[in-house]
Amino acid sequence: SLAIHEHKLAPGTKLGEDEIGEIYGVSRTIVRTALQSLAHSQLVEMHRNRGAYVAQPSPAEALEVFEARELLESRTARSAAMRATGEDIAKLQAHIANEHAALQKGDRGRAVFLSGLFHIEIARMADQSTIAGFVETLIARSSLIIALYWRRESALCESHAHHSLVKAIADHNADRAEDLMRSHLVDLHS
């Protein structure tokens, strides 16, 4: 899944079981199980008699994914702000630094992946494991959506948006964290 998240495998790419097995040194059975798991997460599409392909979300699916993120992640940002520790804030700042380093190297795929980890970390901090699981799945699908549809650099999370979010969370300002996350995701969505 990392290759999909980092845009090393483009949406629509055929995933041959034998080829994947050779690359990772595993049996076809293990590859098939992994592909089924990725299909369950909607990162891979299985086509009868044709095999597995990296998923290609439709514009309607893209809309649904970002609307769901707007609802869930604004709530997790609120909860994270109420629970954040100094260690949590340090992790978020490290995510931002790593994302910036990837952008400076011109590795957009890695930057998108790291941006997703930043959002997943906020969901984890909220201490709501069910919602965090949904957020993780939505962010994985967002990576495919960005690979398919982005038209401008702002598809990558704006650095000031992440910095502002971290400040609100560090200040335990739940209302501000919720508002910032919502407006950040609305901006990404648009």
Side-chain angles (χ1 to χ4, degrees), residues 17-68:
E17 291 177 6
D18 292 333
E19 191 177 343
I20 292 170
E22 278 182 40
I23 291 168
Y24 292 102
V26 295
S27 72
R28 213 170 178 199
T29 305
I30 291 172
V31 171
R32 195 169 292 130
T33 301
L35 290 173
Q36 288 291 344
S37 175
L38 290 170
H40 181 72
S41 300
Q42 296 179 303
L43 293 179
V44 166
E45 295 169 354
M46 306 294 281
H47 298 281
R48 189 179 180 100
N49 300 325
R50 287 183 29 225
Y53 295 80
V54 176
Q56 291 183 282
S58 69
E61 289 169 321
L63 181 69
E64 287 178 24
V65 165
F66 277 96
E67 285 178 348

mmCIF file of all heavy atoms in Angstrom, residues 17-68:
data_model
loop_
_atom_site.group_PDB
_atom_site.id
_atom_site.type_symbol
_atom_site.label_atom_id
_atom_site.label_comp_id
_atom_site.label_asym_id
_atom_site.label_seq_id
_atom_site.Cartn_x
_atom_site.Cartn_y
_atom_site.Cartn_z
ATOM 1 N N GLU A 17 -0.164 -10.782 -9.808
ATOM 2 C CA GLU A 17 0.154 -11.571 -8.608
ATOM 3 C C GLU A 17 1.556 -12.162 -8.670
ATOM 4 O O GLU A 17 2.297 -12.126 -7.681
ATOM 5 C CB GLU A 17 -0.885 -12.679 -8.412
ATOM 6 C CG GLU A 17 -2.250 -12.162 -8.026
ATOM 7 C CD GLU A 17 -3.289 -13.257 -7.895
ATOM 8 O OE1 GLU A 17 -2.932 -14.457 -7.986
ATOM 9 O OE2 GLU A 17 -4.462 -12.918 -7.695
ATOM 10 N N ASP A 18 1.920 -12.730 -9.815
ATOM 11 C CA ASP A 18 3.242 -13.356 -9.939
ATOM 12 C C ASP A 18 4.353 -12.317 -9.788
ATOM 13 O O ASP A 18 5.347 -12.550 -9.091
ATOM 14 C CB ASP A 18 3.378 -14.076 -11.285
ATOM 15 C CG ASP A 18 2.472 -15.291 -11.380
ATOM 16 O OD1 ASP A 18 2.150 -15.866 -10.318
ATOM 17 O OD2 ASP A 18 2.087 -15.647 -12.505
ATOM 18 N N GLU A 19 4.183 -11.192 -10.441
ATOM 19 C CA GLU A 19 5.181 -10.126 -10.397
ATOM 20 C C GLU A 19 5.364 -9.603 -8.965
ATOM 21 O O GLU A 19 6.487 -9.435 -8.495
ATOM 22 C CB GLU A 19 4.717 -8.995 -11.320
ATOM 23 C CG GLU A 19 5.736 -7.936 -11.588
ATOM 24 C CD GLU A 19 5.170 -6.901 -12.579
ATOM 25 O OE1 GLU A 19 4.165 -7.164 -13.271
ATOM 26 O OE2 GLU A 19 5.753 -5.815 -12.624
ATOM 27 N N ILE A 20 4.257 -9.368 -8.257
ATOM 28 C CA ILE A 20 4.320 -8.879 -6.877
ATOM 29 C C ILE A 20 4.977 -9.926 -5.986
ATOM 30 O O ILE A 20 5.813 -9.600 -5.131
ATOM 31 C CB ILE A 20 2.908 -8.510 -6.355
ATOM 32 C CG1 ILE A 20 2.388 -7.287 -7.122
ATOM 33 C CG2 ILE A 20 2.932 -8.233 -4.859
ATOM 34 C CD1 ILE A 20 0.925 -6.975 -6.876
ATOM 35 N N GLY A 21 4.618 -11.198 -6.201
ATOM 36 C CA GLY A 21 5.216 -12.283 -5.421
ATOM 37 C C GLY A 21 6.726 -12.340 -5.575
ATOM 38 O O GLY A 21 7.461 -12.533 -4.606
ATOM 39 N N GLU A 22 7.191 -12.126 -6.809
ATOM 40 C CA GLU A 22 8.638 -12.127 -7.068
ATOM 41 C C GLU A 22 9.323 -10.945 -6.387
ATOM 42 O O GLU A 22 10.387 -11.095 -5.786
ATOM 43 C CB GLU A 22 8.910 -12.062 -8.571
ATOM 44 C CG GLU A 22 8.811 -13.393 -9.262
ATOM 45 C CD GLU A 22 9.132 -13.276 -10.744
ATOM 46 O OE1 GLU A 22 10.069 -12.523 -11.099
ATOM 47 O OE2 GLU A 22 8.438 -13.951 -11.532
ATOM 48 N N ILE A 23 8.714 -9.776 -6.486
ATOM 49 C CA ILE A 23 9.304 -8.571 -5.895
ATOM 50 C C ILE A 23 9.468 -8.733 -4.387
ATOM 51 O O ILE A 23 10.511 -8.397 -3.825
ATOM 52 C CB ILE A 23 8.448 -7.322 -6.215
ATOM 53 C CG1 ILE A 23 8.541 -6.998 -7.712
ATOM 54 C CG2 ILE A 23 8.870 -6.120 -5.376
ATOM 55 C CD1 ILE A 23 7.522 -5.979 -8.200
ATOM 56 N N TYR A 24 8.435 -9.282 -3.735
ATOM 57 C CA TYR A 24 8.458 -9.375 -2.272
ATOM 58 C C TYR A 24 8.891 -10.741 -1.758
ATOM 59 O O TYR A 24 9.010 -10.945 -0.555
ATOM 60 C CB TYR A 24 7.088 -8.989 -1.696
ATOM 61 C CG TYR A 24 6.788 -7.520 -1.891
ATOM 62 C CD1 TYR A 24 5.932 -7.098 -2.905
ATOM 63 C CD2 TYR A 24 7.388 -6.550 -1.091
ATOM 64 C CE1 TYR A 24 5.672 -5.748 -3.102
ATOM 65 C CE2 TYR A 24 7.130 -5.208 -1.282
ATOM 66 C CZ TYR A 24 6.269 -4.806 -2.289
ATOM 67 O OH TYR A 24 6.015 -3.475 -2.483
ATOM 68 N N GLY A 25 9.118 -11.679 -2.668
ATOM 69 C CA GLY A 25 9.573 -13.005 -2.258
ATOM 70 C C GLY A 25 8.535 -13.762 -1.446
ATOM 71 O O GLY A 25 8.872 -14.417 -0.459
ATOM 72 N N VAL A 26 7.272 -13.646 -1.861
ATOM 73 C CA VAL A 26 6.191 -14.335 -1.147
ATOM 74 C C VAL A 26 5.353 -15.137 -2.140
ATOM 75 O O VAL A 26 5.415 -14.922 -3.347
ATOM 76 C CB VAL A 26 5.282 -13.341 -0.370
ATOM 77 C CG1 VAL A 26 6.060 -12.648 0.747
ATOM 78 C CG2 VAL A 26 4.648 -12.316 -1.294
ATOM 79 N N SER A 27 4.552 -16.043 -1.588
ATOM 80 C CA SER A 27 3.724 -16.895 -2.433
ATOM 81 C C SER A 27 2.547 -16.128 -3.023
ATOM 82 O O SER A 27 2.160 -15.064 -2.535
ATOM 83 C CB SER A 27 3.189 -18.084 -1.619
ATOM 84 O OG SER A 27 2.193 -17.627 -0.722
ATOM 85 N N ARG A 28 1.984 -16.731 -4.058
ATOM 86 C CA ARG A 28 0.811 -16.153 -4.715
ATOM 87 C C ARG A 28 -0.370 -16.039 -3.741
ATOM 88 O O ARG A 28 -1.166 -15.108 -3.821
ATOM 89 C CB ARG A 28 0.441 -17.060 -5.885
ATOM 90 C CG ARG A 28 -0.121 -16.319 -7.025
ATOM 91 C CD ARG A 28 -0.235 -17.226 -8.228
ATOM 92 N NE ARG A 28 -0.837 -16.428 -9.274
ATOM 93 C CZ ARG A 28 -1.417 -16.902 -10.323
ATOM 94 N NH1 ARG A 28 -1.475 -18.196 -10.499
ATOM 95 N NH2 ARG A 28 -1.949 -16.104 -11.204
ATOM 96 N N THR A 29 -0.481 -16.994 -2.833
ATOM 97 C CA THR A 29 -1.562 -16.986 -1.836
ATOM 98 C C THR A 29 -1.459 -15.756 -0.944
ATOM 99 O O THR A 29 -2.462 -15.093 -0.669
ATOM 100 C CB THR A 29 -1.512 -18.266 -0.972
ATOM 101 O OG1 THR A 29 -1.557 -19.396 -1.835
ATOM 102 C CG2 THR A 29 -2.649 -18.315 0.014
ATOM 103 N N ILE A 30 -0.249 -15.438 -0.520
ATOM 104 C CA ILE A 30 -0.042 -14.258 0.327
ATOM 105 C C ILE A 30 -0.350 -12.992 -0.457
ATOM 106 O O ILE A 30 -1.000 -12.073 0.044
ATOM 107 C CB ILE A 30 1.393 -14.237 0.903
ATOM 108 C CG1 ILE A 30 1.552 -15.374 1.920
ATOM 109 C CG2 ILE A 30 1.724 -12.894 1.531
ATOM 110 C CD1 ILE A 30 2.954 -15.598 2.415
ATOM 111 N N VAL A 31 0.078 -12.947 -1.711
ATOM 112 C CA VAL A 31 -0.198 -11.783 -2.564
ATOM 113 C C VAL A 31 -1.705 -11.621 -2.730
ATOM 114 O O VAL A 31 -2.241 -10.513 -2.597
ATOM 115 C CB VAL A 31 0.489 -11.926 -3.945
ATOM 116 C CG1 VAL A 31 0.017 -10.835 -4.895
ATOM 117 C CG2 VAL A 31 2.001 -11.880 -3.794
ATOM 118 N N ARG A 32 -2.400 -12.711 -2.997
ATOM 119 C CA ARG A 32 -3.850 -12.655 -3.204
ATOM 120 C C ARG A 32 -4.556 -12.136 -1.942
ATOM 121 O O ARG A 32 -5.466 -11.306 -2.022
ATOM 122 C CB ARG A 32 -4.369 -14.045 -3.584
ATOM 123 C CG ARG A 32 -5.768 -14.025 -4.163
ATOM 124 C CD ARG A 32 -6.164 -15.360 -4.777
ATOM 125 N NE ARG A 32 -5.369 -15.633 -5.967
ATOM 126 C CZ ARG A 32 -4.730 -16.776 -6.187
ATOM 127 N NH1 ARG A 32 -4.770 -17.752 -5.319
ATOM 128 N NH2 ARG A 32 -4.041 -16.949 -7.298
ATOM 129 N N THR A 33 -4.114 -12.596 -0.773
ATOM 130 C CA THR A 33 -4.692 -12.145 0.496
ATOM 131 C C THR A 33 -4.449 -10.648 0.697
ATOM 132 O O THR A 33 -5.351 -9.911 1.102
ATOM 133 C CB THR A 33 -4.087 -12.937 1.676
ATOM 134 O OG1 THR A 33 -4.357 -14.328 1.473
ATOM 135 C CG2 THR A 33 -4.673 -12.498 3.005
ATOM 136 N N ALA A 34 -3.234 -10.206 0.378
ATOM 137 C CA ALA A 34 -2.903 -8.777 0.512
ATOM 138 C C ALA A 34 -3.753 -7.931 -0.438
ATOM 139 O O ALA A 34 -4.256 -6.871 -0.054
ATOM 140 C CB ALA A 34 -1.414 -8.554 0.247
ATOM 141 N N LEU A 35 -3.929 -8.402 -1.664
ATOM 142 C CA LEU A 35 -4.737 -7.662 -2.634
ATOM 143 C C LEU A 35 -6.199 -7.598 -2.188
ATOM 144 O O LEU A 35 -6.854 -6.563 -2.343
ATOM 145 C CB LEU A 35 -4.623 -8.287 -4.026
ATOM 146 C CG LEU A 35 -3.270 -8.120 -4.717
ATOM 147 C CD1 LEU A 35 -3.231 -8.929 -6.016
ATOM 148 C CD2 LEU A 35 -2.953 -6.661 -4.982
ATOM 149 N N GLN A 36 -6.703 -8.686 -1.617
ATOM 150 C CA GLN A 36 -8.078 -8.689 -1.100
ATOM 151 C C GLN A 36 -8.226 -7.675 0.031
ATOM 152 O O GLN A 36 -9.222 -6.955 0.114
ATOM 153 C CB GLN A 36 -8.473 -10.091 -0.596
ATOM 154 C CG GLN A 36 -8.685 -11.112 -1.683
ATOM 155 C CD GLN A 36 -9.925 -10.832 -2.522
ATOM 156 O OE1 GLN A 36 -10.806 -10.064 -2.141
ATOM 157 N NE2 GLN A 36 -9.992 -11.441 -3.700
ATOM 158 N N SER A 37 -7.207 -7.587 0.882
ATOM 159 C CA SER A 37 -7.225 -6.620 1.984
ATOM 160 C C SER A 37 -7.224 -5.190 1.444
ATOM 161 O O SER A 37 -7.968 -4.325 1.925
ATOM 162 C CB SER A 37 -6.009 -6.852 2.890
ATOM 163 O OG SER A 37 -5.952 -5.867 3.882
ATOM 164 N N LEU A 38 -6.405 -4.937 0.431
ATOM 165 C CA LEU A 38 -6.370 -3.613 -0.190
ATOM 166 C C LEU A 38 -7.680 -3.303 -0.912
ATOM 167 O O LEU A 38 -8.130 -2.156 -0.939
ATOM 168 C CB LEU A 38 -5.186 -3.501 -1.152
ATOM 169 C CG LEU A 38 -3.806 -3.474 -0.492
ATOM 170 C CD1 LEU A 38 -2.711 -3.606 -1.545
ATOM 171 C CD2 LEU A 38 -3.617 -2.212 0.330
ATOM 172 N N ALA A 39 -8.316 -4.322 -1.458
ATOM 173 C CA ALA A 39 -9.617 -4.132 -2.102
ATOM 174 C C ALA A 39 -10.663 -3.771 -1.054
ATOM 175 O O ALA A 39 -11.526 -2.920 -1.295
ATOM 176 C CB ALA A 39 -10.024 -5.388 -2.856
ATOM 177 N N HIS A 40 -10.566 -4.397 0.114
ATOM 178 C CA HIS A 40 -11.498 -4.084 1.212
ATOM 179 C C HIS A 40 -11.353 -2.616 1.633
ATOM 180 O O HIS A 40 -12.328 -1.962 1.980
ATOM 181 C CB HIS A 40 -11.244 -5.016 2.400
ATOM 182 C CG HIS A 40 -12.163 -4.785 3.549
ATOM 183 N ND1 HIS A 40 -13.490 -5.149 3.509
ATOM 184 C CD2 HIS A 40 -11.953 -4.209 4.755
ATOM 185 C CE1 HIS A 40 -14.067 -4.798 4.651
ATOM 186 N NE2 HIS A 40 -13.158 -4.231 5.414
ATOM 187 N N SER A 41 -10.123 -2.099 1.566
ATOM 188 C CA SER A 41 -9.863 -0.689 1.898
ATOM 189 C C SER A 41 -10.128 0.241 0.718
ATOM 190 O O SER A 41 -9.876 1.435 0.804
ATOM 191 C CB SER A 41 -8.407 -0.509 2.349
ATOM 192 O OG SER A 41 -8.142 -1.282 3.478
ATOM 193 N N GLN A 42 -10.554 -0.327 -0.407
ATOM 194 C CA GLN A 42 -10.884 0.411 -1.629
ATOM 195 C C GLN A 42 -9.668 1.082 -2.276
ATOM 196 O O GLN A 42 -9.799 2.075 -2.972
ATOM 197 C CB GLN A 42 -12.008 1.409 -1.376
ATOM 198 C CG GLN A 42 -13.302 0.706 -0.989
ATOM 199 C CD GLN A 42 -14.431 1.662 -0.705
ATOM 200 O OE1 GLN A 42 -14.319 2.522 0.154
ATOM 201 N NE2 GLN A 42 -15.515 1.511 -1.423
ATOM 202 N N LEU A 43 -8.485 0.503 -2.042
ATOM 203 C CA LEU A 43 -7.273 0.980 -2.708
ATOM 204 C C LEU A 43 -7.008 0.181 -3.977
ATOM 205 O O LEU A 43 -6.277 0.630 -4.854
ATOM 206 C CB LEU A 43 -6.066 0.870 -1.775
ATOM 207 C CG LEU A 43 -6.077 1.775 -0.555
ATOM 208 C CD1 LEU A 43 -4.829 1.549 0.282
ATOM 209 C CD2 LEU A 43 -6.196 3.230 -0.958
ATOM 210 N N VAL A 44 -7.598 -1.001 -4.049
ATOM 211 C CA VAL A 44 -7.429 -1.895 -5.193
ATOM 212 C C VAL A 44 -8.814 -2.335 -5.651
ATOM 213 O O VAL A 44 -9.714 -2.512 -4.829
ATOM 214 C CB VAL A 44 -6.560 -3.123 -4.796
ATOM 215 C CG1 VAL A 44 -6.643 -4.232 -5.824
ATOM 216 C CG2 VAL A 44 -5.114 -2.708 -4.580
ATOM 217 N N GLU A 45 -8.963 -2.464 -6.964
ATOM 218 C CA GLU A 45 -10.212 -2.982 -7.542
ATOM 219 C C GLU A 45 -9.912 -4.358 -8.135
ATOM 220 O O GLU A 45 -8.941 -4.512 -8.874
ATOM 221 C CB GLU A 45 -10.726 -2.042 -8.630
ATOM 222 C CG GLU A 45 -11.120 -0.686 -8.110
ATOM 223 C CD GLU A 45 -11.383 0.330 -9.214
ATOM 224 O OE1 GLU A 45 -11.146 0.016 -10.408
ATOM 225 O OE2 GLU A 45 -11.809 1.449 -8.873
ATOM 226 N N MET A 46 -10.739 -5.338 -7.782
ATOM 227 C CA MET A 46 -10.583 -6.694 -8.310
ATOM 228 C C MET A 46 -11.598 -6.876 -9.434
ATOM 229 O O MET A 46 -12.783 -6.609 -9.252
ATOM 230 C CB MET A 46 -10.844 -7.728 -7.208
ATOM 231 C CG MET A 46 -9.993 -7.519 -5.951
ATOM 232 S SD MET A 46 -8.247 -7.782 -6.209
ATOM 233 C CE MET A 46 -8.168 -9.539 -6.163
ATOM 234 N N HIS A 47 -11.124 -7.311 -10.614
ATOM 235 C CA HIS A 47 -11.995 -7.540 -11.761
ATOM 236 C C HIS A 47 -11.937 -9.012 -12.138
ATOM 237 O O HIS A 47 -10.850 -9.530 -12.425
ATOM 238 C CB HIS A 47 -11.563 -6.674 -12.957
ATOM 239 C CG HIS A 47 -11.654 -5.209 -12.693
ATOM 240 N ND1 HIS A 47 -12.844 -4.521 -12.740
ATOM 241 C CD2 HIS A 47 -10.704 -4.303 -12.353
ATOM 242 C CE1 HIS A 47 -12.621 -3.243 -12.453
ATOM 243 N NE2 HIS A 47 -11.329 -3.090 -12.206
ATOM 244 N N ARG A 48 -13.086 -9.646 -12.120
ATOM 245 C CA ARG A 48 -13.165 -11.074 -12.430
ATOM 246 C C ARG A 48 -12.531 -11.357 -13.796
ATOM 247 O O ARG A 48 -12.821 -10.675 -14.784
ATOM 248 C CB ARG A 48 -14.638 -11.492 -12.423
ATOM 249 C CG ARG A 48 -14.846 -12.970 -12.507
ATOM 250 C CD ARG A 48 -16.344 -13.267 -12.477
ATOM 251 N NE ARG A 48 -16.559 -14.683 -12.566
ATOM 252 C CZ ARG A 48 -16.823 -15.462 -11.523
ATOM 253 N NH1 ARG A 48 -16.931 -14.947 -10.324
ATOM 254 N NH2 ARG A 48 -16.995 -16.755 -11.695
ATOM 255 N N ASN A 49 -11.664 -12.340 -13.808
ATOM 256 C CA ASN A 49 -10.958 -12.799 -15.019
ATOM 257 C C ASN A 49 -9.971 -11.766 -15.597
ATOM 258 O O ASN A 49 -9.413 -11.997 -16.660
ATOM 259 C CB ASN A 49 -11.946 -13.234 -16.123
ATOM 260 C CG ASN A 49 -12.836 -14.369 -15.682
ATOM 261 O OD1 ASN A 49 -12.402 -15.244 -14.940
ATOM 262 N ND2 ASN A 49 -14.081 -14.338 -16.106
ATOM 263 N N ARG A 50 -9.811 -10.639 -14.930
ATOM 264 C CA ARG A 50 -8.861 -9.638 -15.422
ATOM 265 C C ARG A 50 -7.788 -9.309 -14.389
ATOM 266 O O ARG A 50 -6.755 -8.743 -14.733
ATOM 267 C CB ARG A 50 -9.608 -8.355 -15.819
ATOM 268 C CG ARG A 50 -10.377 -8.546 -17.115
ATOM 269 C CD ARG A 50 -11.101 -7.304 -17.617
ATOM 270 N NE ARG A 50 -10.502 -6.047 -17.257
ATOM 271 C CZ ARG A 50 -11.194 -4.996 -16.803
ATOM 272 N NH1 ARG A 50 -12.494 -5.054 -16.654
ATOM 273 N NH2 ARG A 50 -10.588 -3.874 -16.511
ATOM 274 N N GLY A 51 -8.038 -9.581 -13.124
ATOM 275 C CA GLY A 51 -7.038 -9.345 -12.095
ATOM 276 C C GLY A 51 -7.301 -8.118 -11.248
ATOM 277 O O GLY A 51 -8.410 -7.584 -11.202
ATOM 278 N N ALA A 52 -6.239 -7.656 -10.602
ATOM 279 C CA ALA A 52 -6.319 -6.542 -9.659
ATOM 280 C C ALA A 52 -5.672 -5.296 -10.254
ATOM 281 O O ALA A 52 -4.667 -5.383 -10.968
ATOM 282 C CB ALA A 52 -5.615 -6.915 -8.358
ATOM 283 N N TYR A 53 -6.254 -4.152 -9.939
ATOM 284 C CA TYR A 53 -5.764 -2.860 -10.426
ATOM 285 C C TYR A 53 -5.792 -1.853 -9.282
ATOM 286 O O TYR A 53 -6.676 -1.920 -8.420
ATOM 287 C CB TYR A 53 -6.668 -2.323 -11.554
ATOM 288 C CG TYR A 53 -6.643 -3.176 -12.792
ATOM 289 C CD1 TYR A 53 -7.397 -4.340 -12.869
ATOM 290 C CD2 TYR A 53 -5.855 -2.824 -13.877
ATOM 291 C CE1 TYR A 53 -7.373 -5.137 -14.005
ATOM 292 C CE2 TYR A 53 -5.828 -3.621 -15.021
ATOM 293 C CZ TYR A 53 -6.582 -4.777 -15.071
ATOM 294 O OH TYR A 53 -6.548 -5.564 -16.201
ATOM 295 N N VAL A 54 -4.865 -0.910 -9.300
ATOM 296 C CA VAL A 54 -4.934 0.195 -8.346
ATOM 297 C C VAL A 54 -6.248 0.933 -8.628
ATOM 298 O O VAL A 54 -6.584 1.196 -9.785
ATOM 299 C CB VAL A 54 -3.728 1.156 -8.495
ATOM 300 C CG1 VAL A 54 -3.865 2.341 -7.554
ATOM 301 C CG2 VAL A 54 -2.413 0.412 -8.239
ATOM 302 N N ALA A 55 -6.996 1.222 -7.568
ATOM 303 C CA ALA A 55 -8.327 1.823 -7.712
ATOM 304 C C ALA A 55 -8.274 3.187 -8.393
ATOM 305 O O ALA A 55 -7.279 3.909 -8.303
ATOM 306 C CB ALA A 55 -8.984 1.961 -6.346
ATOM 307 N N GLN A 56 -9.376 3.509 -9.067
ATOM 308 C CA GLN A 56 -9.549 4.803 -9.730
ATOM 309 C C GLN A 56 -10.875 5.407 -9.256
ATOM 310 O O GLN A 56 -11.900 5.227 -9.915
ATOM 311 C CB GLN A 56 -9.578 4.637 -11.251
ATOM 312 C CG GLN A 56 -8.254 4.231 -11.834
ATOM 313 C CD GLN A 56 -8.320 4.143 -13.350
ATOM 314 O OE1 GLN A 56 -8.836 3.180 -13.898
ATOM 315 N NE2 GLN A 56 -7.818 5.157 -14.022
ATOM 316 N N PRO A 57 -10.853 6.113 -8.126
ATOM 317 C CA PRO A 57 -12.111 6.678 -7.619
ATOM 318 C C PRO A 57 -12.722 7.667 -8.617
ATOM 319 O O PRO A 57 -12.011 8.440 -9.252
ATOM 320 C CB PRO A 57 -11.695 7.410 -6.341
ATOM 321 C CG PRO A 57 -10.361 6.849 -5.979
ATOM 322 C CD PRO A 57 -9.720 6.429 -7.264
ATOM 323 N N SER A 58 -14.038 7.606 -8.737
ATOM 324 C CA SER A 58 -14.758 8.517 -9.627
ATOM 325 C C SER A 58 -14.839 9.897 -8.971
ATOM 326 O O SER A 58 -14.620 10.034 -7.761
ATOM 327 C CB SER A 58 -16.177 8.001 -9.855
ATOM 328 O OG SER A 58 -16.927 8.126 -8.657
ATOM 329 N N PRO A 59 -15.185 10.936 -9.739
ATOM 330 C CA PRO A 59 -15.379 12.260 -9.133
ATOM 331 C C PRO A 59 -16.425 12.237 -8.007
ATOM 332 O O PRO A 59 -16.246 12.902 -6.986
ATOM 333 C CB PRO A 59 -15.830 13.134 -10.305
ATOM 334 C CG PRO A 59 -15.185 12.493 -11.495
ATOM 335 C CD PRO A 59 -15.254 11.011 -11.212
ATOM 336 N N ALA A 60 -17.487 11.441 -8.176
ATOM 337 C CA ALA A 60 -18.519 11.351 -7.125
ATOM 338 C C ALA A 60 -17.935 10.730 -5.852
ATOM 339 O O ALA A 60 -18.225 11.190 -4.735
ATOM 340 C CB ALA A 60 -19.706 10.538 -7.619
ATOM 341 N N GLU A 61 -17.115 9.688 -6.009
ATOM 342 C CA GLU A 61 -16.475 9.070 -4.849
ATOM 343 C C GLU A 61 -15.510 10.046 -4.188
ATOM 344 O O GLU A 61 -15.423 10.113 -2.953
ATOM 345 C CB GLU A 61 -15.733 7.796 -5.264
ATOM 346 C CG GLU A 61 -16.648 6.651 -5.647
ATOM 347 C CD GLU A 61 -15.896 5.502 -6.299
ATOM 348 O OE1 GLU A 61 -14.960 5.738 -7.096
ATOM 349 O OE2 GLU A 61 -16.269 4.353 -6.013
ATOM 350 N N ALA A 62 -14.804 10.816 -4.998
ATOM 351 C CA ALA A 62 -13.874 11.817 -4.458
ATOM 352 C C ALA A 62 -14.623 12.822 -3.598
ATOM 353 O O ALA A 62 -14.184 13.172 -2.496
ATOM 354 C CB ALA A 62 -13.136 12.518 -5.598
ATOM 355 N N LEU A 63 -15.754 13.270 -4.079
ATOM 356 C CA LEU A 63 -16.589 14.210 -3.333
ATOM 357 C C LEU A 63 -17.009 13.615 -1.991
ATOM 358 O O LEU A 63 -16.888 14.264 -0.943
ATOM 359 C CB LEU A 63 -17.825 14.565 -4.171
ATOM 360 C CG LEU A 63 -18.805 15.560 -3.581
ATOM 361 C CD1 LEU A 63 -18.187 16.943 -3.537
ATOM 362 C CD2 LEU A 63 -20.085 15.576 -4.396
ATOM 363 N N GLU A 64 -17.454 12.370 -2.008
ATOM 364 C CA GLU A 64 -17.881 11.700 -0.773
ATOM 365 C C GLU A 64 -16.730 11.571 0.226
ATOM 366 O O GLU A 64 -16.916 11.774 1.425
ATOM 367 C CB GLU A 64 -18.424 10.309 -1.083
ATOM 368 C CG GLU A 64 -19.776 10.295 -1.738
ATOM 369 C CD GLU A 64 -20.239 8.874 -2.053
ATOM 370 O OE1 GLU A 64 -19.765 7.920 -1.399
ATOM 371 O OE2 GLU A 64 -21.067 8.732 -2.966
ATOM 372 N N VAL A 65 -15.556 11.212 -0.268
ATOM 373 C CA VAL A 65 -14.397 11.031 0.614
ATOM 374 C C VAL A 65 -14.065 12.339 1.327
ATOM 375 O O VAL A 65 -13.883 12.371 2.547
ATOM 376 C CB VAL A 65 -13.181 10.494 -0.172
ATOM 377 C CG1 VAL A 65 -11.891 10.647 0.628
ATOM 378 C CG2 VAL A 65 -13.401 9.035 -0.543
ATOM 379 N N PHE A 66 -14.015 13.439 0.582
ATOM 380 C CA PHE A 66 -13.653 14.701 1.223
ATOM 381 C C PHE A 66 -14.760 15.237 2.116
ATOM 382 O O PHE A 66 -14.479 15.837 3.158
ATOM 383 C CB PHE A 66 -13.177 15.730 0.196
ATOM 384 C CG PHE A 66 -11.727 15.542 -0.137
ATOM 385 C CD1 PHE A 66 -11.347 14.812 -1.251
ATOM 386 C CD2 PHE A 66 -10.742 16.046 0.699
ATOM 387 C CE1 PHE A 66 -9.993 14.598 -1.525
ATOM 388 C CE2 PHE A 66 -9.393 15.841 0.429
ATOM 389 C CZ PHE A 66 -9.020 15.110 -0.691
ATOM 390 N N GLU A 67 -16.009 14.980 1.778
ATOM 391 C CA GLU A 67 -17.099 15.385 2.672
ATOM 392 C C GLU A 67 -17.027 14.606 3.983
ATOM 393 O O GLU A 67 -17.233 15.174 5.064
ATOM 394 C CB GLU A 67 -18.459 15.186 2.000
ATOM 395 C CG GLU A 67 -18.741 16.253 0.953
ATOM 396 C CD GLU A 67 -20.069 16.051 0.226
ATOM 397 O OE1 GLU A 67 -20.693 14.970 0.356
ATOM 398 O OE2 GLU A 67 -20.477 16.995 -0.476
ATOM 399 N N ALA A 68 -16.727 13.318 3.894
ATOM 400 C CA ALA A 68 -16.587 12.501 5.105
ATOM 401 C C ALA A 68 -15.406 12.981 5.942
ATOM 402 O O ALA A 68 -15.495 13.060 7.180
ATOM 403 C CB ALA A 68 -16.417 11.026 4.729
#
